[in-house]
Structures are given as structure tokens and as C-alpha cells.
Amino acid sequence: MVIYDITDDDLRLRVARFLRSKGLKRIQKSAFIGPLTSSERANLVAGLRRIVRGYDKVNIQVFPLTEASYRRRVVIGVDTVHEDEESIIT
Amino acid sequence: MVIYDITDDDLRLRVARFLRSKGLKRIQKSAFIGPLTSSERANLVAGLRRIVRGYDKVNIQVFPLTEASYRRRVVIGVDTVHEDEESIIT
């Protein structure tokens, strides 16, 4: 799972696109999830570091989740995610 | 770990305060984490459902994390969280 706080609109969009290109799925506006091996996760982290280099006000956290953690998650409320990214960054 | 997408400013603030009152710590603007037993987590979920009742545009996800998942997390960038909640909701 990847969660992020990114102030810059363009950068936030680039990070979201990068995560999607790596096969992750959006579960909230600033949260993506997906099945990655350890080496894929390391590549993902390296790619994220490259993308955000030079920006401040960026915080990204990458959590390796177990299958059990994912299965036992509780979702409250409606799906607030719109795949039209342009609407998310407004 | 609790992550949320909440459109309403007041509700978002109430949820953040509730999570803090349960001993969770903020790790991003919309993410909290803390050590809870299964029954504490069930209480937390019940409390969150109560707080958000009647609101739409709310999505909260609660993940039970293992110690290993937490220890092996990767943090990229700076700490963007300010504990002054008023500044967060602007």
C-alpha cells in the first residue's frame, strides 16, 4: 500500500499515474494498493524517490501489507474515488 | 491504520479528533496509526460509523497491520503533518 501527502498538483498527478503504471489500484484519493514482490516494491520506491526529487512538501509512505491485513480491512462509507484524475486534483 | 477521504471539513476534523482520542497518531493528513487490540479496533470502527452516519462523500478504511508491516514501511520525503488541526483543514 502506498499513501501520500503531496501539495503540488502536477506532482501528485504524476505520482498517481506512476503508481497506476506499476499495477496498483486507487482505493482513495491519496492511497493505492497492489500486489508486488519485494523487488517490485524496491523498484517502486526507487521510482517514487526519482519522481519527487527536488520537491518539498512531499510525504509518501509505502507499507508492505500481508494478505490477511488486506482481507480484514473494514471499509466505511461510499466509494469516493473517481478515476477521472482531472477531477481529483481540483 | 486508518485512512480516510472526507469532503466535509467539520466532519474530517471530528474524525481526526476521535482517532487521536483513541490513541492513534497522525502519520499523514488523512492517515492515522496506532496499536489496538481486536476489540479496540472493533470499537473504533463502531465509533467511526456512528460519527459519519448521515454524511455522504465519506470513505474510511481501517487496516489491521502487523508489526512487521509497520517496521518495514518506507517513508519518502519530509514530515508534512502539522498538529495544528486548523491549518490542516484549510
Side-chain angles (χ1 to χ4, degrees):
Chain A
M1 172 155 54
V2 180
I3 58 176
Y4 54 84
D5 264 358
I6 298 175
T7 304
D8 186 276
D9 288 345
D10 289 337
L11 181 63
R12 197 165 59 245
L13 185 55
R14 278 169 56 206
V15 166
R17 285 183 177 153
F18 175 74
L19 294 174
R20 191 170 291 125
S21 78
K22 295 297 181 181
L24 277 70
K25 287 200 185 308
R26 191 166 227 150
I27 58 166
Q28 283 187 352
K29 283 181 186 163
S30 300
F32 280 77
I33 207 163
L36 299 181
T37 64
S38 296
S39 66
E40 286 169 338
R41 197 167 63 245
N43 282 337
L44 184 87
V45 167
L48 288 170
R49 286 193 202 281
R50 209 158 39 232
I51 291 170
V52 306
R53 188 169 299 152
Y55 287 88
D56 54 3
K57 297 187 185 165
V58 170
N59 181 277
I60 304 176
Q61 302 194 26
V62 182
F63 288 82
L65 281 191
T66 63
E67 270 290 312
S69 287
Y70 182 70
R71 272 200 320 273
R72 291 162 58 213
R73 87 189 196 285
V74 174
V75 180
I76 300 168
V78 297
D79 186 358
T80 61
V81 172
H82 311 282
E83 285 301 316
D84 171 13
E85 287 174 334
E86 302 312 316
S87 73
I88 289 164
I89 63 170
T90 58
Chain B
M1 173 154 55
V2 181
I3 59 176
Y4 54 84
D5 263 358
I6 298 176
T7 304
D8 185 278
D9 289 344
D10 290 336
L11 181 62
R12 197 165 60 246
L13 186 55
R14 279 169 56 206
V15 165
R17 285 183 177 153
F18 174 74
L19 294 173
R20 191 170 290 124
S21 78
K22 295 297 182 183
L24 277 70
K25 288 202 184 307
R26 190 166 229 150
I27 57 166
Q28 282 187 352
K29 283 181 188 163
S30 301
F32 280 76
I33 206 162
L36 299 180
T37 64
S38 295
S39 66
E40 286 169 338
R41 196 168 63 244
N43 282 337
L44 184 89
V45 167
L48 288 170
R49 287 194 202 281
R50 210 158 38 232
I51 290 170
V52 306
R53 189 168 299 150
Y55 286 88
D56 54 2
K57 297 187 184 165
V58 170
N59 182 277
I60 305 176
Q61 302 195 25
V62 182
F63 288 81
L65 281 191
T66 63
E67 271 289 311
S69 286
Y70 182 69
R71 272 200 320 274
R72 290 163 57 214
R73 87 190 197 284
V74 174
V75 180
I76 300 168
V78 298
D79 185 359
T80 61
V81 171
H82 310 284
E83 285 301 316
D84 172 14
E85 287 175 335
E86 303 312 316
S87 74
I88 289 164
I89 62 171
T90 59

